[in-house]
Amino acid sequence: MIKKRAYFKTRSLPYLLILPQIVITVTFFYWPAVQGLLASFQVSDPFGFRSRFVWFDNFITLFSDPLYLKSMLTTLIFSGSVAVVSITCGLFLATMANRVLRFTTLTRTLLIWPYAIAPAISGILWLFLLHPSYGVVSISLENWFGLDWNPLLESSHAMLLIVMASAWKNISYNFVFFLAGLQAVPHSLIEAAAMDGASPFRRFWAITFPMLSPTMFFVTVMTIIFSFFESFGVIHAVTQGGPGGSTNILVYKVYQDGFIGLNLGSSSAQSIVLMLLIVLITTLQFKYVERKVQYTG
Amino acid sequence: MMVEKTPILDTFTYFALIFGILVVGFPILYAVIAATLPIEDVSRVPMSMIPGDQLFNNIAEAWGRGNLDTQLLNSFIMASGITFGKIIVSLFGAFSIVYFDYRLRPLAFATVFCTLMLPIEVRILPTYEMAANIFGPLQSVWDALGLDGIISWFARHDVEVTLEFSLLDSYAGLILPLTASATCTFLFRQFFLTIPEELCEAAKMDGASPMTFFWRILLPLSKTNIAALVVIEFVYGWNQYLWPLLITTNPKMTTAVIGLHHLLPSPEDPPDWHIAMAGALIVMLPPILVVLCMQRWFVKGLVEKEK
């Protein structure tokens, strides 16, 4: 932790200043987290009248439940696809915008707005585009390729729909970061490589891409966290986990089991697993970012 | 970076960029066109790509059917509440952590920053219970201490004290749990650390109190960061889904993003996609406007978040 040397010497003021943050954090973070942890070790009846301490039973049940394992796999496929689609498109567009150099602000303006759109609304827009009877994309697919497209009934089509709706929203976010990362690559390096006769493609893969790796790492982590949680809106508004549980990702399952199924023990255990996953990802990121800081001095 | 002349690649670049912009913009464009059409045109297969003249009728219809005036107001109150709550709480928090040296500072720092990156979605159930009765922890302490018994002894008859105050279906319930996040505090801390120490020394030498330093020097210097966070947090607040879905049961308290759901035509209804799209346009407009109008600060703030 970096420290400043110049401090104010007031005694009680700093406590007063940090108090609101601590109160809110303890009330809405630590207390619920502890309650969640306790609940994950208990089994209670659906009305919450009685509960019994069962140690790790909820977790054992969870990890031997094929539905939960399926949900994990679904989440993995979903997050992976969202990351690949939105990062590839974001990086591609940023590289193009960085080559043009002119109209950067205009390009950014035209590409940035999906960021502002709620995941649920993005889901609704894509549902309309891909709607089996009214969507322009599904009709074109049917007319041109004879593909019977129906995301409301077909699992893989539903998955594609939520991947598109979530990735689309994230392209803008990734674009902004990649463009900033590209603009920070020293011009002299590129020029030197060009003088040595390296083609634009060679320069991209040999210089720009490795120099973008911290941005790449950050963007990947953010995209994964986004697809873990914020895509809840897409799924709730469009597929509701269906058809047949094919889009039932972990966060939606926590909601479904806890608030619809009222299985508090299992839902809490699922929350704890999710939390551990995120802590793991975040720790990795911080380790990586710290290393980056050391390298660049 | 035009280091050498590559006409073919340059042409490709322009085309790719224009194509990309069109593809990214297409879902919005399609929604805008659908929102201007009457029902006969929107349900024709494929839908006409020439805008109609029904935009205002469709918007009025969506507005009335979705009860959007209440919901937009709720969304606005929630988004601004989260934005201002977060920014004010974290400005003071970061000021305390960076500019004071006190015994519990490491503890305060750890308490706040452990919550970084852990969104409300991972702890919905217990947070919901917490919001259902905000005095739950006090009740537990009360029960653990057996205070009921003591009071009963004093009052000479059985007394049971129930501390209950629910945040369900209230603005406080929509806003407060979402302000418990360390991201803003972390950002302000990072920014404060880059401010030259001489400023603080000089202020101290001139006999300025900590709060004078905060209001007169620190706050004006943080203007750009605050502007960026206003955009980021407003968009975040406006677009919240899971939390408002849980905490509001009264239709008068739902937010616009959730209410939109009811405008979606189900298979039995007439295919009122023009109404659904008109509604979607209204609901997504406020955050889009905020992002576009404040783009410069927003991008700066977003990119700085990485560091």
Side-chain angles (χ1 to χ4, degrees), chain A residues 218-239:
Chain A
F218 173 80
V219 160
T220 311
V221 169
M222 293 312 282
T223 309
I224 287 173
I225 290 183
F226 165 86
S227 59
F228 261 48
F229 300 114
E230 283 180 55
S231 49
F232 178 87
V234 178
I235 289 164
H236 188 265
V238 177
T239 66

Side-chain angles (χ1 to χ4, degrees), chain A residues 235-254:
Chain A
I235 289 164
H236 188 265
V238 177
T239 66
Q240 318 226 298
S246 57
T247 55
N248 198 353
I249 63 167
L250 291 172
V251 67
Y252 196 75
K253 200 165 155 50
V254 171

